[in-house]
Amino acid sequence: MITNDYMMAALGGALIGISAVLLLWLNGRIAGISGIINGAFSRTAGEAGWRIAFIVGLLAGGLLFQLFADQPLITRSNYPLPLTIGAGLLVGFGTRMGSGCTSGHGICGISRLSPRSIVATMLFVGVGMLVATTLQGFLK
Amino acid sequence: MSVAKPLTSLLAGIIFGLGLAISGLANPDKVLQFLTLNSDWSPALLFTMGAGIVVTFFGYKWVLQRGPVLAEAFSLPTNTRLDPQLLTGAGIFGIGWGLAGFCPGPALVGLTSGMIEPVIFVIALIAGSQLRKITA
């Protein structure tokens, strides 16, 4: 049901927000996933531990969902391999260069009214739409 | 204290992962349904971002007037410049996001799906990030 889809989308978004607020309130940190992944490899004391714990939590959340939900997490298979690899490389490169992704800029940064995050989010959503719209036209 | 921070991070991670899964954002099909402007277009992702921003906006306001419970100070970004790195990086990220419909958080959550695609994506993502680190 379509209405239900939107309700779940908003509920999920609210949970993401609650998580971001908890992380800043308790640990003083921004819930930006690309930064958390990069920092998880840090050898500086106190930098890696909480990030690894957060990533473990993300995975646990995914498993919990699949335990109780009646729908699969991902509904596609056989997506063209070169696209997946190319996309991963670009997302990894771009999020490090641009200091953030959908969570760090799109949720946390916009909520702090950071001009950098507002511009970055408009850019990656706009470019993402342009690329997806062009590509999906060819794939279909 | 040394155990408290990882534990609270773990809790925040669980809630974040549940949020991504419940919202549908962990499913690249649904993300592409938002990014692809055609007759199948779905605004669902706007509801996720909108709800996330509303909760975070007011929550952050409340938190920033107090202080972090387990840390000495907030770790907030200090750079305020719209520099070329930000603009180019966000553009490159947008290309990658539009190609497959995965961004970092959903890809990590997708690792639990038992499918191979998120695994390949996350390996490529780490490689791409390292590439930027050594070439920057």
Side-chain angles (χ1 to χ4, degrees):
Chain A
M1 209 175 118
I2 284 182
T3 342
N4 194 34
D5 243 29
Y6 296 159
M7 276 170 52
M8 295 311 269
L11 173 68
L15 285 174
I16 291 169
I18 290 169
S19 164
V21 174
L22 274 179
L23 197 66
L24 188 70
W25 181 44
L26 296 173
N27 292 3
R29 296 289 186 159
I30 294 285
I33 309 296
S34 56
I36 287 177
I37 295 175
N38 292 333
F41 295 98
S42 169
R43 295 199 186 99
T44 312
E47 291 299 317
W50 71 271
R51 293 185 169 95
I52 293 168
F54 189 93
I55 293 170
V56 171
L58 270 184
L59 301 179
L63 286 173
L64 267 175
F65 172 80
Q66 290 171 94
L67 218 55
F68 296 106
D70 53 0
Q71 72 225 51
L73 202 57
I74 296 173
T75 47
R76 79 179 179 203
S77 51
N78 298 323
Y79 201 69
L81 184 65
L83 284 181
T84 301
I85 296 174
L89 288 170
L90 291 167
V91 170
F93 192 97
T95 52
R96 186 177 283 242
M97 187 179 192
S99 313
C101 59
T102 345
S103 48
H105 281 313
I107 302 279
C108 299
I110 288 185
S111 297
R112 295 194 307 121
L113 304 179
S114 149
R116 271 171 63 85
S117 292
I118 293 169
V119 170
T121 305
M122 291 194 312
L123 253 172
F124 64 66
V125 171
V127 172
M129 283 180 157
L130 196 72
V131 169
T133 306
T134 312
L135 176 74
Q136 298 303 315
F138 282 111
L139 286 182
K140 269 168 193 166
Chain B
M1 278 304 179
S2 56
V3 189
K5 268 193 203 173
L7 273 183
T8 49
S9 292
L10 180 76
L11 174 72
I14 293 172
I15 298 172
F16 204 107
L18 273 175
L20 282 174
I22 288 172
S23 69
L25 218 88
N27 188 348
D29 277 339
K30 290 201 176 176
V31 174
L32 287 180
Q33 227 188 327
F34 167 73
L35 291 178
T36 308
L37 303 170
N38 61 15
S39 54
D40 284 335
W41 186 72
S42 160
L45 210 134
L46 288 178
F47 286 74
T48 306
M49 279 194 77
I53 289 169
V54 168
V55 170
T56 309
F57 177 78
F58 289 106
Y60 270 16
K61 263 194 155 168
W62 186 85
V63 167
L64 288 169
Q65 284 167 356
R66 282 155 184 82
V69 177
L70 301 171
E72 310 254 308
F74 293 115
S75 302
L76 296 170
T78 49
N79 184 356
T80 53
R81 288 176 36 242
L82 299 175
D83 49 36
Q85 281 82 2
L86 176 83
L87 306 179
T88 315
I92 293 173
F93 166 41
I95 298 173
W97 196 29
L99 283 180
F102 271 122
C103 52
L108 285 179
V109 172
L111 292 176
T112 64
S113 67
M115 291 181 161
I116 190 72
E117 195 195 346
V119 180
I120 294 168
F121 182 90
V122 168
I123 293 170
L125 180 148
I126 292 170
S129 170
Q130 291 303 312
L131 191 67
R132 165 62 193 171
K133 190 185 175 191
I134 56 175
T135 56

